[in-house]
Amino acid sequence: MPHTQIQTARCAALVGPYLSGKTSLLESLLSATGATTRKGSVRDGNAVGDSSPEAKARQMSVEVNVASFEFLGERWSVLDCPGSVELACETQSALMVADVAVIVAEAAPEKAVLLAPLFKFLDDNRIPHLLFINKVDSLGDLRVRDVVQAYQAVSARKLVLREVPIREGGKITGFVDLVSERAWHFNPHKPSNLVQIPDSLKDREHEARQEMLEAVADYDDALLEKLLEDVAPDTQEVYDRLASELADDLIVPVFFGSAENDNGIRRLLKALRHEGPDVATSAERADIPADATVAAQVFKTLNGSHAGKISLARVWRGTVNDGMTLGGERVSGVFRMMGHNQEKLSQAAAGEVVALGRLDKAATGDLLTDKGNAGRSALWPELPPPVFGLALHAQNRNDEVKLTAAIQKLVEEDPSLRLDQSTDTGELVLWGQGDIHLQIAMDRLRNKFNVSVKGAPPQVPYRESIRKGTSHHARYKRQTGGHGQFADIHVEVKPLPRGAGFQFEDGIVGGVVPRQFIPAVENGVRDYAVRGPLGFPVVDFAVKLTGGQFHAVDSSEMAFKTVARQAMTEALPACEPVLLEPILTVSIAVPSDFTSKVQRLVSGRRGQILGYDARPGWQGWDEVKAYLPQAEIHDLIVELRSLSLGVGTFTWSFERLQELTGKAADKAVEIRKETLAAQ
Ligand SMILES: Nc1nc2c(ncn2[C@@H]2O[C@H](COP(=O)(O)OP(=O)(O)OP(=O)(O)O)[C@@H](O)[C@H]2O)c(=O)[nH]1
């Protein structure tokens, strides 16, 4: 078919559920196009992608792999994205700069819901995408059309089957292309060869082709008219409509094959070549300002310990030259990536995906132009809220200082990580998207930044308060040599309502405690309140200084501060101390099939369900709102994912403190005592 050669390079992102075969597909695309001479494999650990130690150790993609090839004179960059839900932020960033996404999915209709967040993200961002059903070598009796039907339930756009399988002896041995109506026979690790359409398949082929044409005609009146009048449409017209409807994200063409056996790969390449939009179309989608002559957008940042900072960027417009000023900084090196290997270029033209050296101020999402750094694009996806935290400690105490700097570099590489220095517990808590996400981060700290760390569940920031008040008299008197120390106070202590904090009242009349010592009394109480009788910060109580005595020579600020602490130490245990635990408001989002399981999960964790509603903008999903003790949240995401095929997620915010009594309280106090004793 005629094809106007597209001069600019294009970019496809490979996305899809965990272990669906994206890295294998990249390997297959590279070998089919001659970009690699020997096909590697994920199993053998010699694929172009997944070459980092963290990826090899897990046999999974832990970050986006970038590679490129030429197919029939056109350059393509491929962004092989990680499939794990915990690494979705990385995938979303890569998708923002791609012309087209290939969703690689196994034929698993029972897990169709896994694709829902991806379809929604692609549709929300109008990113053209097609579906490649992988691993058809092990499809068994499943029918491709049934798989498509199951996936249709989670896609707002119409899935349009572009080929039908040829089956022999219970196996898929080839396919019939529904546009050209030509049949191909799969050959292991070799291009398919043209065959006759089997007679037994002719009816099915005709039916499927009609369905495809009708789906396409939904958006094209001229084509619809032809179909209604039984006029056979011209093949070129069908290809053109398919291309424009894909570019407008109106339809999702569906292909299938086997990355492992290199089947269906050339058909996929042809679809990308003929139907993938060009960079100018995608730049419009990305809202690249018209006045920028040169524009590139960073979708990933790498802080190599030796090579310095590298920004992976898509060139949206113009040419990026090594040494030029882009985004207000000098570009020091332009590289084309092939997995972990880099090829130095003197320049990169529009459409290319390149690594740019030493742009110290550029961050992921930033749009760099010849006019300056326009900052993070308004269209860039929001960061996912953190759902799993670990308190980190350097294995070697001397590394504690290095640790914070190294984590900051990691956060720059992966903005879905967040570092919090807890003011309550003093812990350095790394927040992320799940246990695997944080384990990868910890591995990177060791492998890249040479800091070995241990992770532990973060401490819960309990508080304590009192249930009843008391009056107390305390005297502090020391006579050591010359100057003595003297301070004497009467205080009234009383509980305050939840959320009131701490109040201090000066009730002194007649100057029995001189004015200059009163702040010292308040400071002494505040000092004490950092750790009450149960070992936690004391809140929601009031102290009134009602009387006292002083000595003209021996009284000092220090003495009054000390006596105030002493008064609290003596008085508070008698005020019925009570533990307060933080309660969070959580909002848990799951497909509605899992809503009742979520309610049980919340109840089983001492939570209080507030109700549930449809999740706005998510068809077939619910949002369950509940109060949940913070102590129950640490591994909530783990259980939530395991009951929802991995797609459940939640957001949380602090709600209030609430009294905790009984065994749970005793345990918290016991652990606190052990922790304090160990310090
Ligand atoms: N039978 C069969 N297995 C395949 C095929 N493609 C990939 N696999 C296997 O599926 C597993 C996962 O493949 P990967 O290519 O690592 O999957 P991925 O989608 O890149 O994985 P993540 O990026 O970690 O989500 C590997 O064991 C592959 O060998 C295929 O076409 N057929």
Side-chain angles (χ1 to χ4, degrees):
M1 113 183 202
H3 176 72
T4 329
Q5 189 108 353
I6 291 183
Q7 296 300 330
T8 47
R10 282 181 286 176
C11 171
L14 307 183
V15 292
Y18 179 52
L19 297 184
S20 61
K22 300 170 287 294
T23 306
S24 305
L25 179 59
L26 170 65
E27 210 58 43
S28 185
L29 291 168
L30 294 176
S31 83
T33 53
T36 49
T37 43
R38 199 172 150 272
K39 190 185 175 199
S41 96
V42 179
R43 272 185 208 141
D44 299 341
N46 59 358
V48 168
D50 294 356
S51 55
S52 70
E54 298 83 29
K56 279 193 175 157
R58 297 177 172 79
Q59 291 221 344
M60 66 181 267
S61 299
V62 298
E63 61 191 330
V64 62
N65 297 308
V66 184
S68 85
F69 60 78
E70 259 189 39
F71 180 57
L72 304 176
E74 292 172 353
R75 176 155 296 282
W76 281 87
S77 298
V78 183
L79 311 179
D80 163 29
C81 300
S84 162
V85 284
E86 300 187 20
L87 307 172
C89 179
E90 174 100 356
T91 296
Q92 293 182 350
S93 295
L95 281 170
M96 294 308 288
V97 300
D99 296 316
V100 59
V102 178
I103 301 180
V104 183
E106 288 182 55
E110 72 288 357
K111 291 191 200 156
V113 73
L114 271 178
L115 290 180
L118 191 52
F119 277 126
K120 175 150 170 50
F121 180 84
L122 292 164
D123 290 337
D124 285 351
N125 292 283
R126 295 188 297 116
I127 300 166
H129 50 285
L130 45 85
L131 177 62
F132 182 78
I133 299 173
N134 189 29
K135 306 192 186 182
V136 293
D137 50 309
S138 51
L139 196 61
D141 293 338
L142 265 182
R143 297 195 314 178
V144 170
R145 70 185 101 160
D146 294 337
V147 176
V148 174
Q149 198 183 11
Y151 288 158
Q152 182 64 72
V154 292
S155 166
R157 302 291 179 271
K158 180 96 181 133
L159 303 187
V160 180
L161 196 56
R162 289 283 306 275
E163 47 195 25
V164 286
I166 301 174
R167 281 184 192 261
E168 283 168 288
K171 282 205 171 324
I172 294 186
T173 56
F175 64 95
V176 184
D177 183 304
L178 294 176
V179 184
S180 65
E181 301 200 89
R182 290 197 289 183
W184 300 87
H185 179 77
F186 287 153
N187 296 308
H189 311 297
K190 286 202 194 103
S192 302
N193 59 295
L194 205 53
V195 291
Q196 290 289 326
I197 300 181
D199 285 342
S200 57
L201 203 61
K202 284 193 171 146
D203 285 350
R204 168 67 192 137
E205 188 276 329
H206 185 72
E207 174 196 38
R209 178 176 159 83
Q210 209 49 32
E211 279 171 18
M212 175 191 75
L213 292 175
E214 280 165 18
V216 175
D218 271 349
Y219 304 98
D220 185 69
D221 290 344
L223 184 60
L224 184 62
E225 223 163 276
K226 280 187 189 159
L227 292 186
L228 291 173
E229 288 166 12
D230 249 349
V231 179
D234 171 52
T235 308
Q236 189 53 45
E237 184 187 356
V238 178
Y239 276 127
D240 289 347
R241 291 310 309 155
L242 283 164
S244 81
E245 290 178 16
L246 171 68
D248 292 340
D249 184 32
L250 295 172
I251 57 161
V252 183
V254 182
F255 301 87
F256 55 80
S258 162
E260 190 113 304
N261 298 338
D262 302 311
N263 294 147
I265 304 304
R266 276 164 192 79
R267 185 68 205 84
L268 178 65
L269 280 164
K270 287 277 181 76
L272 290 173
R273 171 180 163 83
H274 292 289
E275 293 161 39
D278 67 353
V279 66
T281 311
S282 310
E284 234 171 86
R285 183 195 86 213
D287 210 13
I288 306 305
D291 66 343
T293 322
V294 184
Q297 192 161 26
V298 180
F299 64 93
K300 181 168 174 66
T301 304
L302 286 165
N303 282 311
S305 45
H306 306 299
K309 180 168 161 178
I310 294 273
S311 306
L312 295 183
R314 176 99 199 269
V315 184
W316 285 122
R317 193 177 297 141
T319 300
V320 174
N321 292 302
D322 192 4
M324 80 181 287
T325 300
L326 187 69
E329 292 184 275
R330 186 174 181 278
V331 175
S332 294
V334 176
F335 307 92
R336 185 179 283 152
M337 307 290 289
M338 192 64 157
H340 263 211
N341 295 328
Q342 304 176 341
E343 176 194 349
K344 193 161 171 40
L345 306 175
S346 57
Q347 59 179 49
E352 289 260 19
V353 169
V354 279
L356 304 175
R358 297 197 188 277
L359 298 175
D360 288 335
K361 296 195 190 96
T364 298
D366 282 359
L367 180 68
L368 314 175
T369 76
D370 45 331
K371 310 263 182 309
N373 184 339
R376 200 173 140 111
S377 153
L379 300 177
W380 208 253
E382 278 180 25
L383 293 176
V387 290
F388 188 82
L390 283 179
L392 298 191
H393 304 276
Q395 303 255 28
N396 177 345
R397 271 182 176 263
N398 298 334
D399 283 345
E400 291 283 353
V401 180
K402 227 162 91 181
L403 177 61
T404 315
I407 297 180
Q408 270 153 3
K409 290 205 157 158
L410 264 194
V411 175
E412 195 183 12
E413 288 190 348
D414 177 355
S416 62
L417 290 170
R418 202 179 80 190
L419 182 64
D420 274 351
Q421 173 98 52
S422 165
T423 43
D424 296 307
T425 61
E427 291 177 319
L428 202 57
V429 180
L430 187 63
W431 284 95
Q433 299 306 306
D435 193 30
I436 298 174
H437 188 207
L438 294 195
Q439 294 301 333
I440 293 168
M442 285 160 68
D443 284 0
R444 284 199 183 122
L445 284 172
R446 190 179 52 244
N447 297 336
K448 252 180 146 173
F449 300 103
N450 210 12
V451 187
S452 291
V453 288
K454 289 190 297 260
Q459 291 172 36
V460 176
Y462 291 106
R463 298 275 191 281
E464 58 179 275
S465 190
I466 49 173
R467 279 194 174 141
K468 63 172 205 183
T470 189
S471 299
H472 192 72
H473 170 226
R475 170 171 288 195
Y476 176 59
K477 194 173 171 187
R478 290 281 183 284
Q479 203 65 57
T480 45
H483 248 289
Q485 296 279 354
F486 180 85
D488 182 294
I489 55 170
H490 287 265
V491 288
E492 271 176 25
V493 183
K494 64 173 189 197
L496 291 178
R498 274 302 78 76
F502 168 62
Q503 284 168 15
F504 180 79
E505 196 184 332
D506 169 11
I508 294 297
V509 280
V512 290
V513 175
R515 189 168 287 276
Q516 73 267 27
F517 296 138
I518 290 173
V521 175
E522 177 172 353
N523 286 341
V525 176
R526 284 188 187 276
D527 254 18
Y528 170 83
V530 169
R531 192 178 297 168
L534 304 179
F536 297 99
V538 191
V539 295
D540 302 343
F541 74 115
V543 173
K544 182 174 179 184
L545 179 61
T546 53
Q549 288 177 31
F550 75 105
H551 186 277
V553 178
D554 290 346
S555 284
S556 64
E557 283 184 23
M558 186 47 78
F560 273 97
K561 192 171 173 185
T562 308
V563 79
R565 285 173 54 164
Q566 181 188 324
M568 291 298 108
T569 311
E570 292 162 1
L572 252 67
C575 295
E576 283 189 24
V578 63
L579 195 65
L580 300 178
E581 72 167 339
I583 303 292
L584 309 176
T585 305
V586 294
S587 179
I588 303 177
V590 281
S592 34
D593 284 353
F594 305 117
T595 304
S596 56
K597 281 190 181 171
V598 166
Q599 288 173 320
R600 281 199 292 279
L601 171 70
V602 169
S603 310
R605 289 182 173 239
R606 300 190 289 125
Q608 180 193 344
I609 309 267
L610 300 173
Y612 72 94
D613 224 328
R615 185 183 190 192
W618 287 73
Q619 215 196 331
W621 284 54
D622 281 339
E623 219 166 42
V624 179
K625 286 220 160 40
Y627 290 143
L628 200 67
Q630 186 165 342
E632 299 288 339
I633 210 169
H634 172 61
D635 59 352
L636 179 71
I637 190 67
V638 179
E639 224 179 302
L640 178 60
R641 287 197 179 124
S642 89
L643 69 73
S644 64
L645 287 172
V647 295
T649 161
F650 69 94
T651 56
W652 54 274
S653 59
F654 174 76
E655 172 65 24
R656 62 169 190 275
L657 289 169
Q658 182 174 289
E659 283 191 12
L660 178 67
T661 51
K663 273 198 184 135
D666 296 345
K667 187 151 182 235
V669 172
E670 192 186 314
I671 292 174
R672 177 69 173 169
K673 294 220 159 115
E674 280 166 15
T675 313
L676 292 174
Q679 276 172 2

